[in-house]
Amino acid sequence: MGHLNSYSYRIKRKLAEHLERDPSGLSFLKYALKYCWSKFRRRPLRMPKAGLGMLSADHVNVAVKITGGLGDAVILARVLRQVAAFCPNCRFYVFFPSLQQARWVFGKCDYVEDIQYLELFEYYERELCDCALYLNSFAFFNEAEIDVAKIRRLSPPLLSLLAAARKSRRQWELFIDNHPLLDGAFARQAVAIGWNRHSAVYRQLGLEPGGLALDLPEDDGAFERIRTKFAAYITFNTGFDHMFILSTATATKCYPQEHWTALIRLLKERFPKLGIIQVGGKNSFPVAGADANFAGKTTLAECAGLLRHSRLHIDIEGGLVHVCASLGTSCAVLFGPTSKRYFAYPQNLNLRDDACGDCWWATERWMEFCPKKLACNECMHRLIPERVLASVAPLLEAIGKEP
């Protein structure tokens, strides 16, 4: 049968699952069109200006393939910062599915030499760089593309990372080979040995986890438009990572729209002087009662500016929560399918319903349909607005008592 994430096997599974729910095939066609559009809508690739001569002979040039969404990029930027500090005389070339997101996350990192589309990674790996590092839920090197002699001469500490990653890969090889389909199972094992999403990749490289703060570009343009209207405000986000292609209108880890509407109404009733600002991407749905809606209307830098000044950000587990952790903004995080024990930051208010949840990658289509085949994402529906309000109220009341 081959690996569970082999291309042909995954396509067959995807087709079979869609036909089971929709024998007409329209559901699969919709998914296929959305997937193809996501791949081909990009600008033409920017090819290297020169050949081998464009990379320094006096540094170890490392191609870094990072996959996932915005949150993964933020988490792995912290890891790469630690790698760069540990391995002097290295230059890093980052490859990520979204060039816009990668340039925002890594653009101010002086240890990153260039940022490119993911499609160019194999060219750099094979023709230009001295080694290739893969970062996602795991960390490993391509053993076939390593210039050991140059690394030993110019950056010996990198050899210890290679050794640690090699040892870790033997332990987690089944999960690495079947990433992301077994990520949920890996998360449970990681938690059992004291790891979480923030620390796991560091540990696989033999490094101690570093700090959460990142120097992310910020633009106060959106903030300036609302700063005079509210003495204090909170933010919230109803969307999810747009890089995850779905055939459904929303994701199972999203908080239900009717719950958001009720929660915003309850917050306005309890804290009438507090501004409530919606942020997020273009797949966010608007919520009645918000004082301003910036979802899909800001750059990442403008969104970061709003989050920096927010007194509390309410969201599902996702990219903006990791951005907030890097900015120092507290969050109330609503957990459902994704693991609270694996993803939660201890400084945040982390909420979930204990009756159901933690089914992240229990099935390949966990983001589209409840793995228990329930009509709705029960884990999020059971996290009622009244409970969320009761949990965040003490934090918001403290803001009102400030001089």
Side-chain angles (χ1 to χ4, degrees):
M1 181 177 65
H3 287 148
L4 295 177
N5 66 349
S6 67
Y7 181 77
S8 60
Y9 177 71
R10 294 187 70 182
I11 288 294
K12 290 176 182 177
R13 279 193 59 185
K14 187 72 71 173
L15 176 60
E17 290 175 353
H18 275 277
L19 290 178
E20 181 182 354
R21 291 181 176 272
D22 180 12
S24 71
L26 291 176
S27 174
F28 179 77
L29 179 61
K30 180 180 178 182
Y31 166 83
L33 289 173
K34 289 177 70 174
Y35 179 84
C36 291
W37 173 247
S38 74
K39 293 295 182 183
F40 296 114
R41 67 182 175 181
R42 299 170 177 161
R43 294 175 296 174
L45 298 180
R46 178 166 60 88
M47 296 299 292
K49 296 179 180 178
L52 291 171
M54 72 174 289
L55 302 192
S56 172
D58 299 323
H59 298 82
V60 175
N61 302 295
V62 184
V64 185
K65 180 179 180 178
I66 296 176
T67 51
L70 176 61
D72 299 287
V74 170
I75 292 167
L76 297 171
R78 302 173 190 143
V79 176
L80 193 57
R81 176 181 58 193
Q82 198 88 333
V83 171
F86 187 79
C87 302
N89 220 25
C90 287
R91 288 183 173 178
F92 298 91
Y93 296 80
V94 171
F95 302 83
F96 188 69
S98 169
L99 197 59
Q100 177 192 24
Q101 291 181 356
R103 287 180 173 169
W104 180 67
V105 173
F106 294 96
K108 296 176 72 174
C109 301
D110 56 7
Y111 51 85
V112 174
E113 187 71 14
D114 196 12
I115 303 162
Q116 286 280 5
Y117 282 116
L118 198 60
E119 288 82 353
L120 285 176
F121 171 75
E122 291 185 7
Y123 172 72
Y124 273 73
E125 175 186 43
R126 185 180 63 253
E127 303 292 343
L128 299 180
C129 289
D130 304 307
C131 69
L133 172 61
Y134 292 67
L135 295 176
N136 40 63
S137 296
F138 309 95
F140 57 93
F141 291 84
N142 180 354
E143 297 287 343
E145 301 289 345
I146 300 176
D147 189 339
V148 176
K150 185 176 180 182
I151 294 172
R152 183 177 290 114
R153 176 168 55 89
L154 296 176
S155 188
L158 182 55
L159 293 176
S160 67
L161 293 192
L162 287 164
R166 189 177 298 119
K167 179 180 178 181
S168 177
R169 181 162 188 168
R170 287 195 295 268
Q171 178 182 3
W172 304 110
E173 189 164 14
L174 174 66
F175 301 94
I176 292 172
D177 288 345
N178 294 291
H179 166 77
L181 299 180
L182 295 183
D183 279 15
F186 166 75
R188 286 185 281 276
Q189 293 202 25
V191 167
I193 59 175
W195 294 2
N196 57 32
R197 182 66 181 102
H198 172 62
S199 66
V201 178
Y202 288 99
R203 299 300 186 191
Q204 293 172 57
L205 291 170
L207 297 172
E208 286 296 316
L212 300 178
L214 282 177
D215 186 14
L216 298 170
E218 297 178 41
D219 182 340
D220 279 344
F223 169 67
E224 291 295 337
R225 299 203 293 272
I226 64 168
R227 67 179 304 179
T228 59
K229 297 180 181 179
F230 311 104
Y233 69 85
I234 64 172
T235 50
F236 71 97
N237 169 41
T238 65
F240 60 97
D241 181 14
H242 76 278
M243 299 298 291
F244 210 113
I245 307 302
L246 304 179
S247 63
T248 51
T250 189
T252 52
K253 71 175 189 176
C254 288
Y255 200 48
Q257 186 166 9
E258 62 272 22
H259 280 16
W260 273 119
T261 301
L263 176 60
I264 300 306
R265 175 177 52 78
L266 292 170
L267 285 167
K268 294 298 292 183
E269 291 174 354
R270 182 79 172 267
F271 305 98
K273 296 182 180 180
L274 188 68
I276 301 180
I277 311 300
Q278 183 170 357
V279 296
K282 293 182 179 180
N283 63 11
S284 300
F285 52 79
V287 178
D291 294 302
N293 181 5
F294 287 100
K297 303 173 184 177
T298 62
T299 64
L300 284 168
E302 288 174 325
C303 184
L306 289 167
L307 293 173
R308 166 75 74 180
H309 300 285
S310 176
R311 308 307 294 270
L312 179 71
H313 179 65
I314 306 176
D315 206 336
I316 61 172
E317 185 282 313
L320 293 187
V321 171
H322 299 290
V323 170
C324 284
S326 299
L327 297 174
T329 299
S330 297
C331 296
V333 187
L334 313 178
F335 282 90
T338 47
S339 170
K340 173 182 171 181
R341 294 188 300 166
Y342 184 62
F343 283 102
Y345 291 97
Q347 71 271 24
N348 287 339
L349 176 62
N350 300 295
L351 305 174
R352 62 157 289 182
D353 183 79
D354 293 330
C356 193
D358 195 8
C359 55
W360 182 55
W361 286 109
T363 65
E364 189 173 356
R365 301 182 69 189
W366 67 274
M367 273 276 276
E368 296 173 288
F369 304 104
C370 171
K372 292 171 65 175
K373 298 187 177 181
L374 300 176
C376 67
N377 51 341
E378 183 181 31
C379 53
M380 300 304 281
H381 276 79
R382 290 172 64 98
L383 197 56
I384 59 174
E386 289 77 9
R387 178 184 167 188
V388 178
L389 175 67
S391 299
V392 303
L395 301 176
L396 301 181
E397 286 170 351
I399 295 173
K401 296 177 183 178
E402 293 178 355

